[in-house]
Amino acid sequence: MAAAPSPAPPRILLAGDAHGRLHQLFKRVKSVNQSTGPFHALLCVGQFFPPEAAEGDSPPGDVADYLEGRAAVPIPTYFTGDYGPTAPRLLSKAAADARGFNPGGIEICPNLFWLKGSALFNLHGLSVAYLSGRKGLGGPGCYSQDDVDALRALAEEPGIVDLFLTNEWPAGVVDGADTSKVPPQVLDPQGYDPVVAELVAEIKPRYHIAGTKGVFYAREPYVNDSSPHVTRFIGLANVGNKEKQKFIHAISPTPASTMSSADIHARPPNATLSPYAAPAKSVHAEDTPKRPAESTDLQYWRYDVKRQRQGQTDGSLLCFKYTSSGSCPRGSKCNFRHDEEAREHCQRNVCFDFLNKGKCERGPECRFAHSLTEEAAARDAKPRSERRRVESSCWFCLSSPDVESHLVISIGDGYYCALAKGPLVPDHVLVIPVEHFPTTIAMPVEPEAELRRYKDSLGKYFEKRGRAAVYFEWVSQQSRHANLQAVPVPLSKAANVKKIFHLAAQRLGFEFSVVNPDGDANQGRELLRSQYDGKSGLFYVELPDGTLLLHIIDSGEKFPAQFGREVLAGLLSMADRADWRNCKLSKEEEVKMVDDFKQGFHEFDPAE
């Protein structure tokens, strides 16, 4: 059987300094999206906010229209340039509301995300690293030494970074390049940053995107030291610049995680040597304050990779990687302490610095608990939800070592489908968000259309086999990664599904409410999404006729985790299969089951 074609690579727009001209930027985005799109996201580097403060207390100009809901951001947009006179005031509320880790951005209005500090996140399969802010002496709009050290630690991790976003250009980037035809701004020493040069030399991304110099420049690809792939640097001009320099650029990179070794090693004929083989020297920039070499007791010391390499620690300090994720790539070679009790406290939202040093220098600005008691930890606890880094132990995160990828049958942009582990029936399917979300009804609006396409395709596949789909999802405060279950039932039993769920509810002492009496399943999900408060537990089932039955689970209610499966097992006279653990198959049997499903589903698969 021929291998299924790989999903199309994501399509990304890049933009330079917006300087608050959001109407002009998004008008251009809409035009490009209509003519050559659709595009999955817009990434903005350089100064995003206006350079001059406006009079009065209201947000200035274009930005106000988006923050206050008078205008809509057309596609998911991420920005790093969180500086300018008005930026601290405009971002203060988002900063105050943000809790826990937000590597994928803090949403300041629908479809607009602030990439704060530095981090790595997954964007439609692409690995994206960023350094927000510009160089300086600290304070709002300047990146910190902690941000830099976090990226240095990231460079130690396995895997290739696809995109690296910075505001300023790396010092020395033009070394070894053909500068005979470049604009004069490229050779101007202003706007270069030696710290960014150090970082890009360590991270070795496939693409490095920067702004601030007011000019478009696409450097020849360069070969990285000790890495097989090349890096492409793209500098972007300011939005609406008078010189008509290019301020928006489109790319469609295949994620490195899905590329073949031959493609990773490919070198274009115009590739040069790395401009960072030696310390950058062609462009002089002011020095940035460095971490004192003799001090080990500084905030966020945990990111100090150089000390890890040199073994300069007494082993009494906690390993941040292990404490936050439960694993450390250095294993027994790690120079810091792996403490399981500290990890448990960290999972309850206790501040890492408090655990490690008994104090936290951020004081009231810290969004984590400064106590080991359950009550205090719960006070600041909030799900480290949709935009925290993917949990390495999650069964359903595609990047997790625990995911059983041989069960995957189709991968889209926002959702993927997999056959259930220990299935109730052979075609028992799970529809799962690609991102780490606790429930499908809390997902952003954009992936909902793809979910509808998957449901339509599964419906056609099941109908061809004389079956109808029953969908159900259980949401609790313990939910980690959402999965919408699709179980096919014979058409002869479809009319009985409603009755048996009502009977099962009565036995447990509750009654289902009907979300959409007219049976419009899409409208039913929209109503469910609009009513869900993100705090309550609930169970809902979509019947074959499209009707949604809903039960809100009280905080003290003991609701059976296998309720939906148990009800359908009774309908199908399969009581012995109500528990998935009784239905486990060997990996060989699972692989054959997946192959059989793919053969029949191929003609309907929306990801094909």
Side-chain angles (χ1 to χ4, degrees):
M1 183 182 69
S6 301
R11 309 189 68 203
I12 306 296
L13 288 175
L14 310 170
D17 304 61
H19 284 167
R21 303 185 185 105
L22 301 194
H23 290 335
Q24 186 172 359
L25 172 62
F26 292 139
K27 180 180 178 181
R28 182 67 179 277
V29 169
K30 289 178 182 178
S31 175
V32 173
N33 206 35
Q34 290 173 358
S35 60
T36 60
F39 287 90
H40 294 88
L42 169 67
L43 305 178
C44 299
V45 292
Q47 186 166 344
F48 191 76
F49 293 94
E52 298 295 337
E55 295 182 1
D57 295 328
S58 61
D62 299 357
V63 181
D65 290 337
Y66 296 91
L67 297 188
E68 296 173 3
R70 293 188 295 274
V73 180
I75 66 174
T77 299
Y78 303 78
F79 68 90
T80 59
D82 53 356
Y83 52 89
T86 62
R89 176 163 54 90
L90 299 181
L91 293 173
S92 60
K93 184 179 186 303
D97 291 342
R99 303 220 176 192
F101 298 99
N102 296 277
I106 299 169
E107 188 170 25
I108 64 170
C109 70
N111 258 1
L112 185 59
F113 302 93
W114 169 25
L115 299 177
K116 183 177 184 291
S118 68
L120 175 74
F121 72 107
N122 184 287
L123 181 66
H124 297 285
L126 295 170
S127 174
V128 182
Y130 59 87
L131 177 66
S132 192
R134 55 185 174 179
K135 68 177 182 288
L137 299 177
C142 295
Y143 62 75
S144 67
Q145 187 65 43
D146 297 333
D147 297 329
V148 172
D149 288 344
L151 290 176
R152 288 203 165 108
L154 182 153
E156 292 272 291
E157 298 293 321
I160 297 174
V161 172
D162 291 303
L163 276 69
F164 181 36
L165 311 178
T166 63
N167 295 308
E168 292 166 305
W169 290 27
V173 68
V174 297
D175 285 3
D178 180 4
T179 59
S180 60
K181 298 180 181 179
V182 301
Q185 298 99 310
V186 172
L187 302 178
D188 185 336
Q190 298 299 315
Y192 283 98
D193 187 345
V195 174
V196 173
E198 293 175 9
L199 288 173
V200 75
E202 293 187 48
I203 295 172
K204 301 177 177 64
R206 292 171 58 219
Y207 289 84
H208 179 194
I209 319 299
T212 72
K213 284 186 69 65
V215 62
F216 176 78
Y217 173 58
R219 190 200 189 280
E220 299 97 329
Y222 61 82
V223 178
N224 285 289
D225 296 336
S226 69
S227 289
H229 62 281
V230 299
T231 294
R232 291 170 168 82
F233 172 79
I234 300 172
L236 292 154
N238 304 339
V239 173
N241 64 89
K242 296 179 180 179
E243 294 79 16
K244 305 297 183 183
Q245 285 280 332
K246 189 174 184 179
F247 66 81
I248 196 163
H249 184 73
I251 59 173
S252 184
T254 300
S257 59
T258 66
M259 294 173 67
S260 66
S261 176
D263 290 339
I264 290 288
H265 283 75
R267 295 185 179 181
N270 64 336
T272 73
L273 295 176
S274 170
Y276 313 115
K281 56 186 180 301
S282 63
V283 178
H284 299 286
E286 62 200 54
D287 291 334
T288 298
K290 301 290 184 179
R291 179 188 300 277
E294 68 278 3
S295 174
T296 60
D297 191 30
L298 293 178
Q299 190 176 10
Y300 295 116
W301 58 269
R302 56 187 179 271
Y303 292 122
D304 195 340
V305 175
K306 292 181 179 178
R307 291 191 177 277
Q308 280 275 16
R309 290 172 177 165
Q310 299 166 7
Q312 297 177 4
T313 177
D314 59 8
S316 64
L317 298 176
L318 294 169
C319 170
F320 175 72
K321 181 69 177 175
Y322 181 86
T323 306
S324 61
S325 69
S327 65
C328 171
R330 296 182 184 86
S332 60
K333 296 181 180 179
C334 181
N335 296 311
F336 298 107
R337 186 160 52 92
H338 294 177
D339 189 295
E340 185 59 36
E341 184 178 357
R343 163 143 176 78
E344 292 176 2
H345 287 308
C346 189
Q347 288 179 308
R348 290 190 292 104
N349 223 38
V350 177
C351 171
F352 179 83
D353 282 341
F354 178 83
L355 288 173
N356 190 48
K357 298 180 292 185
K359 62 180 180 180
C360 173
E361 297 167 7
R362 284 164 289 179
E365 294 183 1
C366 181
R367 308 308 300 179
F368 299 92
H370 293 160
S371 173
L372 301 184
T373 65
E374 293 280 352
E375 294 77 12
R379 178 191 62 212
D380 290 333
K382 211 174 188 181
R384 296 179 186 179
S385 59
E386 302 84 359
R387 299 179 183 94
R388 68 168 291 176
R389 63 178 174 273
V390 174
E391 296 188 22
S392 61
S393 61
C394 178
W395 284 6
F396 297 127
C397 284
L398 290 174
S399 61
S400 168
D402 294 330
V403 69
E404 302 210 40
S405 57
H406 65 283
L407 291 173
V408 175
I409 54 178
S410 176
I411 302 178
D413 293 327
Y415 281 90
Y416 74 94
C417 292
L419 291 188
K421 186 82 173 173
L424 178 61
V425 293
D427 288 348
H428 184 171
V429 174
L430 305 182
V431 188
I432 305 168
V434 172
E435 298 291 336
H436 194 82
F437 275 80
T439 168
T440 66
I441 58 176
M443 285 278 283
V445 175
E446 184 185 11
E448 187 72 13
E450 184 176 54
L451 176 60
R452 288 197 294 268
R453 290 194 295 273
Y454 267 123
K455 289 174 63 182
D456 289 342
S457 299
L458 288 169
K460 293 174 183 176
Y461 171 78
F462 292 145
E463 184 179 8
K464 189 175 180 179
R465 283 153 180 74
R467 287 171 168 74
V470 179
Y471 295 93
F472 62 87
E473 182 177 7
W474 175 52
V475 180
S476 76
Q477 294 303 309
Q478 288 72 45
S479 297
R480 297 181 63 197
H481 196 135
N483 59 94
L484 178 64
Q485 303 203 36
V487 177
V489 299
L491 291 176
S492 60
K493 294 181 178 289
N496 296 329
V497 175
K498 180 178 181 179
K499 179 180 179 180
I500 195 168
F501 267 102
H502 278 299
L503 288 173
Q506 290 175 11
R507 292 194 195 101
L508 291 180
F510 70 87
E511 291 186 4
F512 278 112
S513 61
V514 179
V515 178
N516 55 338
D518 59 358
D520 185 331
N522 293 333
Q523 184 183 46
R525 280 191 61 85
E526 288 302 315
L527 289 170
L528 194 57
R529 287 164 58 86
S530 66
Q531 296 170 9
Y532 181 56
D533 60 6
K535 302 175 183 178
S536 306
L538 57 85
F539 175 89
Y540 69 93
V541 55
E542 181 183 320
L543 307 178
D545 64 3
T547 304
L548 265 70
L549 305 181
L550 170 66
H551 172 54
I552 303 296
I553 301 171
D554 294 334
S555 58
E557 181 180 351
K558 292 184 178 180
F559 189 81
Q562 299 286 331
F563 178 73
R565 181 177 177 128
E566 290 169 355
V567 173
L568 293 179
L571 174 73
L572 300 173
S573 302
M574 297 178 173
D576 58 324
R577 300 184 66 84
D579 190 330
W580 71 273
R581 289 167 293 191
N582 297 333
C583 308
K584 289 183 180 179
L585 303 173
S586 67
K587 185 171 182 179
E588 292 74 17
E589 291 173 317
E590 289 175 338
V591 169
K592 184 179 185 307
M593 183 175 65
V594 168
D595 287 342
D596 291 344
F597 187 96
K598 283 183 175 180
Q599 287 185 13
F601 188 60
H602 177 77
E603 62 180 298
F604 305 108
D605 190 349
E608 291 289 339

